Structures are given as structure tokens and as C-alpha cells.
Amino acid sequence: ALDKLVVLADRAIIDFEINGNVSSFGYFGNAFFQLPVRCDFLPYFGAGLGGYHEWGSVHVPELDGTPFETNIRFNEDHSLAYQLIAGLSIISCYNIHMAIEYRFLDPITDSNKIHHHTIALTARSEF
């Protein structure tokens, strides 16, 4: 959910309230490397290549105290992106691992260059 936007323009800061949301769907092929350590927690790293789709809307009721009332909708396909992954497996049982994970996603073909940072609890299977 979006609730505030801060714009830095020509050394001025414009701060205003907004209402909105952004959703995304990604599809990636990932490769992982698990560090060979002997402990209950297993660190790992990974990288992936794929793409993602974003959609959402933003409503701006006012701009700098002045009624503005505008709605912005977007629907974008990003055809190529990569992601870098770092995680820590905290529970392992029958080749299934529960982990806490950080992912950095960067679109290759998007001129806006908006980076995505995600922290998640994940489940993955080894084969």
C-alpha cells in the first residue's frame, strides 16, 4: 500500500499524502549455492534471470495543500530482469528447507530502473 510520496526536484522537497497500491508477479529461473558449513543454520546464495509484471493505482487528493484530485493507473510488463538472493535455512527436513531470504531484483530492459528489495520467509525443495 502506498500512503506518502516525497519528490526531490531541483533541491526542493515536495511531500504529500497519497492512497494506492502496487502489485507484481515474477517468473525466474534461479540457481543456488549452499555454503558447506556444519551447523543447524545453512547460509546460501543465488541468482536468477526472468521477468515480472507490475500493476497498480495511485490517488492523489491534494498537492502541497491545494486540491489536486488525480488518479494514476499503470500496467507494465518488464520482459527481462535479474535477481540476487541471500538466505539462511533455519529448518531442514527431507530435502525441504524453510529459510529467511533477501532478494534484490533489477529490471534490465526498464528505463526507469526501479529496484525491488524483498525479505521473505520461504520454503524450497532440493532435487
Side-chain angles (χ1 to χ4, degrees):
L2 302 172
D3 60 5
K4 189 173 195 175
L5 182 64
V6 177
V7 178
L8 303 173
D10 197 27
R11 298 183 188 175
I13 298 174
I14 303 169
D15 182 356
F16 52 95
E17 302 294 320
I18 63 173
N19 300 311
N21 62 61
V22 176
S23 299
S24 65
F25 174 79
Y27 41 93
F28 288 86
N30 297 310
F32 292 95
F33 174 73
Q34 187 168 297
L35 295 176
V37 295
R38 300 228 182 257
C39 62
D40 293 334
F41 302 103
L42 301 171
Y44 62 91
F45 300 95
L49 189 62
Y52 69 103
H53 180 82
E54 287 182 307
W55 64 95
S57 64
V58 176
H59 172 72
V60 183
E62 64 179 45
L63 182 59
D64 202 23
T66 305
F68 191 64
E69 288 296 329
T70 188
N71 291 304
I72 302 166
R73 295 190 186 281
F74 59 93
N75 190 357
E76 298 182 17
D77 274 318
H78 304 283
S79 59
L80 189 59
Y82 72 91
Q83 65 181 350
L84 303 174
I85 304 160
L88 185 63
S89 290
I90 50 179
I91 299 172
S92 296
C93 184
Y94 299 108
N95 291 332
I96 297 175
H97 301 274
M98 296 295 293
I100 187 147
E101 191 171 272
Y102 167 76
R103 291 180 181 229
F104 171 78
L105 186 145
D106 185 25
I108 296 171
T109 57
D110 187 4
S111 61
N112 294 330
K113 285 303 212 182
I114 297 175
H115 307 294
H116 297 261
H117 303 273
T118 305
I119 296 176
L121 184 60
T122 65
R124 63 186 173 91
S125 175
E126 292 181 351
F127 55 92

